[in-house]
Amino acid sequence: MHLFVAIFSVWASYRWGDWRNWQKYQPTMMYFAIGNLLYNYLCAERMLWTLTPDWFGDTGLTELIYTFLTFPATALLFLTNFPKGRMKVFFHYVQWVLIYGGVEYIYSLTGRIEYQYGWSLGWSIIFNIIMFPMLKLFSVKPLLAYALSAVLTVFWMKMFDVSF
């Protein structure tokens, strides 16, 4: 299932993403990837969620697939198709939170994700509600996004008792 999501994400980004201007989106794609790497590093001793591997049987490989394929591809799609107008922007955020939440819900039903230490699908949805605006913010004001990311990282670590 994880490999299917990765392949679909790459295909969708190829189909609907603005690959002619990929350099414009690359910093945000990297910000997303680095955020996932940072989670895996900071929470290595206290993983709040763990992806259960498919047939290739390695959690680390599964995380790398998300880090370097799925997340950059979806960041490209998210930014490429970013609308103008307050209501359109709102519904764009809702659409992406629902996509990520829906996929994770399916993962929770099929045993492809395991939650620990108080994390849950609800917390993931709250995280996504924050994450997608942070991706947009990073694309226009990266230094502010880095500063807010540091504050949010400390918040999440304290909230879920992850030691520094």
Side-chain angles (χ1 to χ4, degrees), residues 101-113:
V103 168
E104 190 166 324
Y105 177 68
I106 292 168
Y107 285 177
S108 70
L109 292 177
T110 59
R112 295 289 129 220
I113 191 166

Side-chain angles (χ1 to χ4, degrees), residues 106-124:
I106 292 168
Y107 285 177
S108 70
L109 292 177
T110 59
R112 295 289 129 220
I113 191 166
E114 182 180 318
Y115 303 112
Q116 293 94 215
Y117 306 111
W119 194 266
S120 65
L121 176 60
W123 282 113
S124 289

Side-chain angles (χ1 to χ4, degrees), residues 119-152:
W119 194 266
S120 65
L121 176 60
W123 282 113
S124 289
I125 290 170
I126 292 168
F127 181 84
N128 291 333
I129 289 169
I130 296 167
M131 179 188 71
F132 284 106
M134 289 297 294
L135 291 174
K136 179 59 178 170
L137 178 63
F138 185 85
S139 74
V140 293
K141 295 187 181 210
L143 292 178
L144 179 58
Y146 279 132
L148 284 173
S149 294
V151 170
L152 287 167

Side-chain angles (χ1 to χ4, degrees), residues 31-94:
Y31 167 75
F32 201 171
I34 289 168
N36 195 53
L37 290 172
L38 187 61
Y39 162 73
N40 280 282
Y41 175 76
L42 292 175
C43 294
E45 301 297 319
R46 189 174 170 88
M47 300 297 283
L48 301 176
W49 66 87
T50 306
L51 297 174
T52 305
D54 291 328
W55 58 86
F56 34 80
D58 183 66
T59 302
L61 181 58
T62 302
E63 283 293 338
L64 288 174
I65 288 169
Y66 277 91
T67 299
F68 295 111
L69 293 176
T70 304
F71 294 152
T74 57
L76 177 72
L77 277 171
F78 172 74
L79 292 174
T80 294
N81 299 293
F82 202 86
K84 295 196 184 317
R86 183 172 278 182
M87 288 308 291
K88 287 182 181 180
V89 167
F90 173 77
F91 285 114
H92 189 68
Y93 284 130
V94 168

